[in-house]
Amino acid sequence: MLPGPDTPPTIADVAREAAVSKTTASDALRGHGRVSGPTRRAVLEAAERLGYAPNRSARSLRTSVTDTVALHIPEFLTSAEYYMSFVFGVAEQAARAGLNVTLLSSGHLPHRGVVPQVDGIVLCDPVAEDPVVDQLMNSGLPVVTAERYVGDQQPTGVIWSDHETSMTGLLDHLYEAGARHPAFIASDTTSDWATTLQRTHARWCAAGGVPKLVRKAPFGSTPDVLQGAVRDLLAKSPETDAIVCAADGAAAAVLPELRAVGRTVGSDLLLASCVDSSSMRTAEPPITAVDLRPRAMGAECARLLCEILSGETPRGTVRALPIEMNVRASTRP
């Protein structure tokens, strides 16, 4: 018997709708206990059909479960399109699982040694030297990272992408398009993503006998800083015939400088980005870039964390998220 229009559905209604016991329905909705994937999905779908909303305040008094996961992104990165898309991916997937998401900012974390009041944590492209990341990795809570963590602690789960293969493919594409002196504007962070790109670029240059042209810029640099790096690069290495920018938005930001020094992108100089975004698609000319699928990455991190919390997936699980290169006019001479 379904609840009336004025009667809010209960956990018993959800259990009846999903043809499971109240205990199983409760475990599935809380993301805890050993509930199979199909059963958990059936319970979630039943709860959605009935419009069931758990009494979180009462539950938190009875158990240590908060029905909340935390997401930490350094504040200086929040203006980047990749990270905003990642946040939406986490939030959407968590909502499907009936969980809240709280953002942990560097300036509002608990004092060292105090564990955040959440069930688990998602870290986006964590840097080992970051004391905030170190604190969260040592919190004792389940932690899922987007990209591998290069510090001493091992995350509870990882979603990663094969940036070595994508960077190699991007450099091969530039070479096939005629570039013999490609330069790389690298990120100076020590995240796994940034170091993998630098290592792959160095290996590719050595294997092909190509001069290694590299400039580093702080992640989140302003257009002025990026343009200055390109200006210095072209002044000292005028033979440069292609530029690959690591950071989100950097390739579009340097276009004015390239025009100012008389270079024509897509003709006498090829331009590419390691991160696709709306600014790559709308630039003139549109810029070849690697689609890292940030919204999907965020969703997969949240999904894996929920599965680990529920016991459906073992700790230590590592999954790969496919990425691809979008070739555009900036590398079509």
Side-chain angles (χ1 to χ4, degrees):
M1 180 179 178
L2 295 178
D6 299 323
T7 305
T10 67
I11 188 66
D13 297 321
V14 174
R16 193 160 40 244
E17 177 75 4
V20 298
S21 69
K22 285 176 59 177
T23 300
T24 298
S26 178
D27 286 345
L29 290 169
R30 288 189 299 116
H32 284 255
R34 293 195 171 277
V35 181
S36 70
T39 298
R40 188 166 190 275
R41 286 190 291 272
V43 172
L44 292 176
E45 290 169 1
E48 185 174 356
R49 285 195 300 273
L50 296 177
Y52 173 74
N55 187 332
R56 299 185 187 278
S57 298
R59 179 183 300 169
S60 64
L61 293 173
R62 295 193 305 268
T63 73
S64 60
V65 176
T66 68
D67 287 325
T68 301
V69 296
L71 169 60
H72 175 259
I73 293 177
E75 290 180 22
F76 73 94
L77 297 179
T78 54
S79 61
E81 184 175 325
Y82 174 93
Y83 294 97
M84 287 297 92
S85 296
F86 180 88
V87 169
F88 282 117
V90 171
E92 289 168 353
Q93 184 59 39
R96 293 191 189 100
L99 300 177
N100 293 319
V101 177
T102 183
L103 289 176
L104 295 177
S105 66
S106 300
H108 299 87
L109 281 176
H111 296 296
R112 175 162 289 278
V114 178
V115 178
Q117 296 301 302
V118 295
D119 297 331
I121 302 171
V122 173
L123 298 180
C124 187
D125 205 17
V127 177
E129 291 82 4
D130 187 337
V132 174
V133 170
D134 180 68
Q135 179 181 349
L136 295 174
M137 288 293 295
N138 287 282
S139 66
L141 292 166
V143 176
V144 169
T145 62
E147 305 303 344
R148 300 181 190 276
Y149 179 59
V150 296
D152 295 332
Q153 292 283 355
Q154 290 301 309
T156 316
V158 178
I159 305 293
W160 74 289
S161 295
D162 189 352
H163 300 292
E164 180 176 356
T165 297
S166 71
M167 183 63 163
T168 301
L170 183 56
L171 293 168
D172 285 345
H173 165 70
L174 294 175
Y175 191 88
E176 291 165 2
R180 295 298 179 266
H181 296 87
F184 183 35
I185 307 298
S187 170
D188 69 349
T189 69
T190 56
S191 67
D192 185 56
W193 169 78
T195 55
T196 296
L197 294 181
Q198 293 177 48
R199 185 173 61 248
T200 303
H201 173 257
R203 185 182 299 127
W204 183 88
C205 290
V210 176
K212 179 184 171 184
L213 300 174
V214 179
R215 294 292 185 279
K216 289 187 179 182
F219 200 93
S221 293
T222 63
D224 287 346
V225 171
L226 295 167
Q227 291 168 15
V230 167
R231 188 182 311 120
D232 176 72
L233 169 70
L234 294 178
K236 295 179 178 177
S237 303
E239 72 279 8
T240 299
D241 52 12
I243 295 177
V244 177
C245 294
D248 185 357
V254 303
L255 274 173
E257 179 63 28
L258 297 177
R259 296 191 186 102
V261 297
R263 304 301 291 266
T264 303
V265 173
S267 178
D268 70 328
L269 188 139
L270 309 182
L271 181 63
S273 172
C274 295
V275 184
D276 204 357
S277 65
S278 58
S279 63
M280 302 301 121
R281 297 187 290 272
T282 59
E284 186 52 49
I287 298 171
T288 292
V290 178
D291 183 3
L292 300 182
R293 303 175 60 208
R295 205 167 190 127
M297 173 63 87
E300 288 304 311
C301 286
R303 179 179 290 112
L304 178 56
L305 180 57
C306 289
E307 291 177 4
I308 290 173
L309 289 172
S310 69
E312 179 182 340
T313 298
R315 290 170 174 253
T317 295
V318 177
R319 291 175 181 165
L321 179 75
I323 55 179
E324 62 182 11
M325 177 172 59
N326 291 322
V327 177
R328 302 189 178 107
S330 68
T331 60
R332 290 175 177 155

